[in-house]
């Protein structure tokens, strides 16, 4: 590994190490009050992803917003329903369509989870200071754009490089 690292620029190596340490900390995978991070994402998706005036969301809408398959969302919803965080509602006109809404317990939980997350980030802002926190936010947004552009470019190039069968 040392031999390989000789060819890597010092700044690149430093950034790779920092990203690896950040990932190893697992901060984004911590559960809150027994809820897994994936379940929390579903709850926030339901809370904040509804169309204006809607009181529930279709499973397909949730899966689209989260970028995962409907069966994946369905599995998560089963646990959330068992624990009383969500309620399923059948469409009276089409019983194949299921709507998902937060229960009172789900509403309370998402509010508490948001407060906990906000408090954690507030602590980081306090630790870094206002100016460095703004810089970090700007740099992370810029890094996200870079990786999104790289991914889009990769997939566009891959599609044109692949033979098209009819």
């Amino acid at each position: 590994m040392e031999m390989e690292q000789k060819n890597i620029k010092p700044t690149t190596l430093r950034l790779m190490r920092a990203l690896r340490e950040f990932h190893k900390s697992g901060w984004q995978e911590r559960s809150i009050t027994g809820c897994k991070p994936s379940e929390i994402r579903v709850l926030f998706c339901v809370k904040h992803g509804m169309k204006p005036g809607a009181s529930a969301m279709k499973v397909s809408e949730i899966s689209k917003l989260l970028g995962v398959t409907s069966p994946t969302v369905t599995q998560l919803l089963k646990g959330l329903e068992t624990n009383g965080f969500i309620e399923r509602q059948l469409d009276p006109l089409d019983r194949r369509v299921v709507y998902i809404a937060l229960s009172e317990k789900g509403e309370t939980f998402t509010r508490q989870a948001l407060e906990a997350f906000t408090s954690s980030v507030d602590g980081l802002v306090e630790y870094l200071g206002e100016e460095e926190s703004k810089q970090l936010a700007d740099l992370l947004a810029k890094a996200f754009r870079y990786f999104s552009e790289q991914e889009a470019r990769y997939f566009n190039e891959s599609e044109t490089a692949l033979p098209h069968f009819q």
Side-chain angles (χ1 to χ4, degrees), residues 45-103:
C45 182
V46 173
K47 178 147 180 83
H48 300 289
M50 283 188 254
K51 294 175 182 162
S55 61
M57 290 180 76
K58 293 180 189 177
V59 174
S60 59
E61 293 172 326
I62 297 168
S63 66
K64 185 177 179 181
L65 283 173
L66 293 175
V68 298
T69 65
S70 288
T72 299
V73 171
T74 300
Q75 284 302 112
L76 291 167
L77 292 172
K78 284 180 185 177
L80 291 169
E81 184 178 29
T82 300
N83 291 318
F85 290 110
I86 61 151
E87 297 168 347
R88 292 175 189 259
Q89 304 164 354
L90 294 177
D91 185 323
L93 302 176
D94 185 351
R95 295 186 58 80
R96 296 171 297 172
V97 178
V98 177
Y99 287 94
I100 305 299
L102 292 181
S103 65

Side-chain angles (χ1 to χ4, degrees), residues 38-54:
S38 54
E39 293 172 324
I40 295 168
R41 283 190 287 277
V42 170
L43 291 172
F44 277 104
C45 182
V46 173
K47 178 147 180 83
H48 300 289
M50 283 188 254
K51 294 175 182 162

